[in-house]
Amino acid sequence: MSTKTKIALVTGGSRGIGRNSALKIAEKGLDIIITYKSSKEEADEVVKEIQALGRKAAAFQLDTKDVKSFDPFIENVTTHLQKNTGSPNIDYLINNAGTALYAPIAETTEEQVDDIVDIHFKGVFFLTQKFLPFINNGGGIVNISSGLARVALPGSSVYGSIKAGVEMLTRYMAKELGGRKIKANVIAPGAIETDFGGGRTRDNKEVNAMVSNNTALGRAGLPEDVGGVVAFLCTEDAAWISGQRIEVSGGMIL
């Protein structure tokens, strides 16, 4: 008897860690839905890459800062799934979409704080809440945090603090959803060479050198260093992992 193909939804899956995670999850045999905020072209390219791996894929526009857009977004996704799979449900939700903020406490504005809270906390909380009826029992949630929730680097007070909140939220998700055998875990990447935060880890030689010098494995991270770990949490091999924070940083600032 054939088992139904599982489905993972990755927010912010058009680039960086989200893109690599989507591809790595597809390599594990899952079908993929990704979201993108603005670049439909990039998202469509990722869909093609996933389809080239023999998996089904689709991309939907979503701004995780706009909670009011979540209901119509979920309706679009579940309608698509019902039509194409016979069920509106997904198995894994990967809350990856996000943006950076580098600002010292003395100069941070209320608007900047609101943006980070809306994208990284409210967005994660309410998207997960609204997807709960559509996550299959035995599925999983993977939230993306940051090494900055563990290590205080000047300029990241708001971002790091909110990511720490996401880590605690993940433990609550694991506790409250355990009765449905839904796992919830958090991945905390170190500094990664992407266009995140204006590409500063990738493009700023001083920042890159600082990261490399403070990392046990001697370099800044790459998206492919993280995506495989996210994908692992979307497999049966990780079925007994829940409520955990997994830092994927090459041993940064140990």
Side-chain angles (χ1 to χ4, degrees):
M1 192 172 85
S2 63
T3 56
K4 187 173 178 294
T5 299
K6 292 187 176 179
I7 298 164
L9 188 151
V10 183
T11 67
S14 62
R15 55 197 183 124
I17 290 173
R19 172 184 173 277
N20 191 262
S21 297
L23 291 169
K24 292 291 189 181
I25 296 168
E27 288 175 5
K28 297 287 189 184
L30 283 74
D31 292 339
I32 307 292
I33 290 174
I34 63 169
T35 76
Y36 63 95
K37 182 182 177 185
S38 54
S39 180
K40 186 177 187 302
E41 292 75 19
E42 285 183 341
D44 288 344
E45 192 56 43
V46 177
V47 167
K48 288 178 186 172
E49 290 181 70
I50 294 167
Q51 290 170 338
L53 294 169
R55 307 299 346 148
K56 294 176 182 173
F60 292 83
Q61 196 278 331
L62 177 68
D63 182 353
T64 55
K65 184 173 136 180
D66 183 10
V67 173
K68 290 183 177 62
S69 72
F70 290 0
D71 285 339
F73 163 74
I74 290 173
E75 186 173 346
N76 287 339
V77 170
T78 55
T79 299
H80 166 84
L81 289 172
Q82 182 71 51
K83 179 182 175 183
N84 288 279
T85 73
S87 165
N89 289 7
I90 63 173
D91 296 280
Y92 295 96
L93 173 62
I94 293 84
N95 287 303
N96 164 78
T99 187
L101 171 63
Y102 304 109
I105 291 171
E107 298 171 15
T108 301
T109 67
E110 183 179 4
E111 183 181 20
Q112 287 175 316
V113 173
D114 287 346
D115 274 354
I116 295 299
V117 170
D118 288 351
I119 294 165
H120 290 282
F121 193 85
K122 281 179 64 178
V124 170
F125 185 96
F126 285 109
L127 190 65
T128 303
Q129 179 198 70
K130 290 172 181 294
F131 254 117
L132 286 180
F134 304 106
I135 298 176
N136 284 322
N137 292 346
I141 296 160
V142 181
N143 296 323
I144 305 299
S145 178
S146 169
L148 293 166
R150 176 178 66 85
V151 176
L153 294 180
S156 291
S157 63
V158 176
Y159 180 82
S161 297
I162 297 306
K163 285 299 193 184
V166 168
E167 294 187 1
M168 194 66 205
L169 173 62
T170 304
R171 293 172 68 182
Y172 274 98
M173 288 178 177
K175 192 81 167 177
E176 293 193 15
L177 302 178
R180 293 178 54 193
K181 303 297 184 281
I182 291 173
K183 288 80 65 181
N185 294 289
V186 64
I187 296 284
I192 307 294
E193 292 185 12
T194 69
D195 56 8
F196 186 79
R200 84 182 210 154
T201 298
R202 181 190 61 203
D203 302 332
N204 184 313
K205 290 181 180 177
E206 289 78 17
V207 171
N208 195 285
M210 182 278 288
V211 169
S212 300
N213 292 335
N214 283 284
T215 300
L217 295 181
R219 62 169 174 82
L222 301 170
E224 47 265 41
D225 294 322
V226 182
V229 186
V230 176
F232 164 69
L233 291 175
C234 299
T235 68
E236 287 305 306
D237 288 338
W240 200 236
I241 301 174
S242 194
Q244 301 305 305
R245 175 190 194 271
I246 303 171
E247 183 161 320
V248 187
S249 68
M252 188 174 177
I253 313 182
L254 294 174

